[in-house]
């Protein structure tokens, strides 16, 4: 899985050769097919593992907060940081869209809860730290913004992830209820 992840991140799905993965992993083709039905299944499992690891980081950021507002903001920043990682961005935000069917992606999202910030946002609203908004709509706007802006920042010479963090802080502060 680790070798396959490196290949998918570097060469994309179509540019990844299972022969090269087998060679670099030091296993036989038969061993690969003993564990994985095909390249598609291997990619899907790489996505699942990557999302599971990402969710751990996001949930740890949420758990480190001292109140629901801070938990939500920590979730946003952890999601930005996770999405900005080159391997995550390439595999989960670029390659995944052309490889996995929407129902496969929905299943992975349900199994891993990649967008763990949504419950943190709802909790901040429910606990009076944040104005009540349509949760799913606001979550979609935030998550899609993170997806797009981290891709832009990755290739920009004038925009940094630090600036993205600062702008999200300024933007989301408008929803905060001062206690």
């Amino acid at each position: 899985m680790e070798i396959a992840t490196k290949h998918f991140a570097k060469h994309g799905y179509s540019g990844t050769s299972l022969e090269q993965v087998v060679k670099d992993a030091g296993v036989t083709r038969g061993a690969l097919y003993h564990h994985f039905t095909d390249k598609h299944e291997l990619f899907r499992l790489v996505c699942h593992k990557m999302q599971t690891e990402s969710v751990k980081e996001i949930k740890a950021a949420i758990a480190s907060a001292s109140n629901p507002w801070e938990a939500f903001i920590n979730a946003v920043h952890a999601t930005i940081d996770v999405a900005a990682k080159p391997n995550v961005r390439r595999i989960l935000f670029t390659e995944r869209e052309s490889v996995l069917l929407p129902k496969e992606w929905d299943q992975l999202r349900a199994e891993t809860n990649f967008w763990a910030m949504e419950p943190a946002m709802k909790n901040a609203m429910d606990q009076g730290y944040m104005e009540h908004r349509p949760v799913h709509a606001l979550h979609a706007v935030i998550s899609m913004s993170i997806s797009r802006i981290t891709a832009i920042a990755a290739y920009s010479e004038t925009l940094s992830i630090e600036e993205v963090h600062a702008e999200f802080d300024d933007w989301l502060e408008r929803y905060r209820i001062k206690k």
Side-chain angles (χ1 to χ4, degrees):
M1 292 273 292
E2 185 178 322
I3 299 297
T5 301
K6 289 178 183 177
H7 279 269
F8 288 134
K10 184 175 182 180
H11 307 290
Y13 181 82
S14 63
T16 294
S17 157
L18 287 185
E19 290 301 322
Q20 192 62 49
V21 171
V22 165
K23 181 180 174 187
D24 291 352
V27 299
T28 66
R29 190 169 183 82
L32 180 90
Y33 285 112
H34 175 74
H35 294 285
F36 310 102
T37 307
D38 56 18
K39 184 176 172 181
H40 184 89
E41 181 188 22
L42 178 59
F43 182 80
R44 187 182 59 75
L45 292 171
V46 163
C47 288
H48 191 282
K49 184 176 186 284
M50 186 172 278
Q51 284 215 151
T52 300
E53 292 168 357
S54 298
V55 168
K56 287 179 187 175
E57 291 180 44
I58 296 165
K59 287 184 175 181
I62 292 168
S64 72
S66 61
N67 64 57
W69 173 256
E70 187 179 312
F72 167 58
I73 295 300
N74 286 359
V76 170
H77 288 295
T79 303
I80 291 168
D81 290 338
V82 164
K85 291 178 183 179
N87 289 355
V88 172
R89 190 177 56 253
R90 174 84 188 257
I91 293 173
L92 293 182
F93 292 94
T94 304
E95 296 296 320
R96 183 249 332 144
E97 290 182 0
S98 63
V99 176
L100 298 182
L101 297 172
K103 68 179 183 177
E104 290 175 298
W105 178 238
D106 289 345
Q107 182 181 357
L108 281 177
R109 282 195 348 233
E111 290 171 0
T112 61
N113 191 19
F114 183 68
W115 299 114
M117 79 175 92
E118 186 174 5
M121 178 175 58
K122 184 172 180 343
N123 187 47
M125 289 177 191
D126 292 347
Q127 298 298 318
Y129 284 83
M130 184 175 179
E131 83 177 56
H132 281 273
R133 308 289 299 177
V135 174
H136 297 300
L138 183 56
H139 174 261
V141 168
I142 293 168
S143 61
M144 293 304 107
S145 297
I146 289 171
S147 173
R148 188 69 186 124
I149 198 66
T150 55
I152 292 168
Y155 302 106
S156 174
E157 294 181 18
T158 58
L159 177 65
S160 71
I161 290 297
E162 292 75 24
E163 291 170 319
V164 169
H165 281 289
E167 289 305 315
F168 266 93
D169 280 340
D170 287 347
W171 172 41
L172 296 174
E173 185 65 27
R174 71 175 278 217
Y175 299 111
R176 182 178 185 188
I177 296 173
K178 308 293 189 256
K179 288 207 167 227

